[in-house]
Amino acid sequence: MIGFIGSVFSPWYRWSGRQSPQNHVCLNVATYGPGGRFTMTDRGRPALRQSPDRLQIGPSAMHWNGRELVVEVNEISSLPLVSRVQGTITLTPEALTGVEARLTPDASHTWRPFAPIARIKVDLSQGHAWEGHGYWDANFGTAALEADFRFWTWGRFPLKDRTVCFYDATRRDGSSLALGVEVLRDGTVQEIEPPPVTPFRRSLWAVRRETRADAGFHPSQKMSLLDAPFYSRSLVETKIDGEVTTGVHEALDLVRYRQPWLKPMIAVRVPRRRGWAFEE
């Protein structure tokens, strides 16, 4: 689930020239398994309301109540399974961090891991009702991703007493990012030396994939979550400091995403709704 102001993967935002991020807002929700749905409606400025503790995008909203992030979902899923996706997601952090990481030297892209260790409760239509391990972060940027990056991977892997996150990227200027972060249960965050970059099988759309793993261990996909021509999200098993763990992994090919032929394909899954009227 992602709340966007300036929907970075919306072709409508790209075609608009990216001049007004507030005119391209979205709550993206993806559920998996039986009854899985995908929502990513690009909405116009009238659908956006913001306050210090609440983000509302049309019929859906995120609200921080001081202890929990409560997300009220009321969306319509995209093709091929068009239906209403409605319900509540509640995320309770074990601890909140106050750190952020520059993904580019000029800070045109920044990553903020708010709560890398959290509990989550999901109660959505299509039978998605469960509780488990959660995670909350944010990315901020003043430039298009494809303007500054060629490729990146991200992974978050829970260990017995901590969580580790890895950010690896190749920038368009030829430089690279190799970031390893360790988060303890009390919210302490420190940078770590990541284990070696290790490739594993490409996605169904042949997106290149790699992650961090102890020397000699071969990571593998345990479950495909989302496949697109330029993007892969999956559950991946790896080994960190001698401990085998399964976490969420993303790979993003921004050379592919730059191709003009791809935008009409994405538009099929990302409808545009310009107007909205809130009930007073």
Side-chain angles (χ1 to χ4, degrees):
M1 179 184 58
I2 310 172
F4 289 100
I5 299 178
S7 190
V8 293
F9 299 121
S10 165
W12 311 101
Y13 187 35
R14 174 65 181 86
W15 291 330
S16 75
R18 293 195 170 100
Q19 297 301 309
S20 177
Q22 290 80 10
N23 197 37
H24 294 273
V25 295
C26 172
L27 182 69
N28 171 223
V29 179
T31 59
Y32 313 116
R37 297 292 191 273
F38 180 86
T39 81
M40 199 171 183
T41 301
D42 184 309
R43 300 185 185 276
R45 187 185 301 271
L48 176 64
R49 282 185 174 177
Q50 290 176 269
S51 69
D53 58 6
R54 185 177 178 85
L55 170 65
Q56 183 150 6
I57 299 173
S60 301
M62 299 181 179
H63 172 66
W64 173 250
N65 65 17
R67 297 175 295 103
E68 301 166 326
L69 180 69
V70 180
V71 186
E72 304 149 5
V73 178
N74 187 359
E75 297 290 324
I76 301 295
S77 61
S78 65
L79 295 170
L81 300 174
V82 178
S83 65
R84 186 169 297 279
V85 179
Q86 193 168 15
T88 303
I89 299 168
T90 304
L91 181 137
T92 306
E94 290 197 11
L96 291 170
T97 76
V99 302
E100 62 182 31
R102 294 183 176 186
L103 303 182
T104 51
D106 63 356
S108 60
H109 299 274
T110 302
W111 173 54
R112 176 76 186 275
F114 290 119
I117 304 175
R119 298 296 299 174
I120 194 168
K121 181 178 181 180
V122 177
D123 186 7
L124 294 177
S125 52
Q126 287 82 44
H128 293 276
W130 53 274
E131 297 184 34
H133 197 76
Y135 172 88
W136 177 21
D137 73 354
N139 284 76
F140 308 92
T142 58
L145 290 174
E146 67 270 26
D148 288 338
F149 296 96
R150 297 178 59 84
F151 179 78
W152 84 13
T153 65
W154 173 90
R156 169 191 164 274
F157 298 97
L159 302 176
K160 290 179 181 178
D161 58 352
R162 58 200 164 107
T163 288
V164 293
C165 299
F166 302 114
Y167 239 124
D168 291 280
T170 303
R171 304 186 185 102
R172 292 196 70 203
D173 64 6
S175 63
S176 62
L177 170 73
L179 176 64
V181 172
E182 173 186 84
V183 185
L184 304 183
R185 294 192 176 278
D186 64 0
T188 301
V189 182
Q190 61 182 5
E191 190 170 346
I192 60 173
E193 182 69 26
V197 172
T198 309
F200 61 101
R201 181 181 293 180
R202 289 176 178 255
S203 72
L204 290 175
W205 283 94
V207 173
R208 175 167 62 93
R209 295 189 294 183
E210 58 196 29
T211 191
R212 298 288 179 162
D214 288 356
F217 188 87
H218 300 286
S220 61
Q221 174 182 290
K222 292 302 177 183
M223 181 179 179
S224 175
L225 301 179
L226 188 60
D227 265 299
F230 63 97
Y231 175 80
S232 165
R233 183 186 301 156
S234 55
L235 293 181
V236 169
E237 182 182 81
T238 188
K239 191 175 186 180
I240 308 296
D241 292 340
E243 185 177 339
V244 176
T245 174
T246 299
V248 176
H249 176 274
E250 297 179 316
L252 179 60
D253 186 334
L254 288 154
V255 174
R256 282 195 190 176
Y257 183 70
R258 287 174 60 88
Q259 304 307 309
W261 57 264
L262 189 60
K263 304 301 186 294
M265 293 176 61
I266 300 172
V268 173
R269 295 272 275 171
V270 183
R272 170 70 172 162
R273 301 289 182 267
R274 293 183 176 86
W276 182 261
F278 287 104
E279 294 182 4
E280 300 298 342

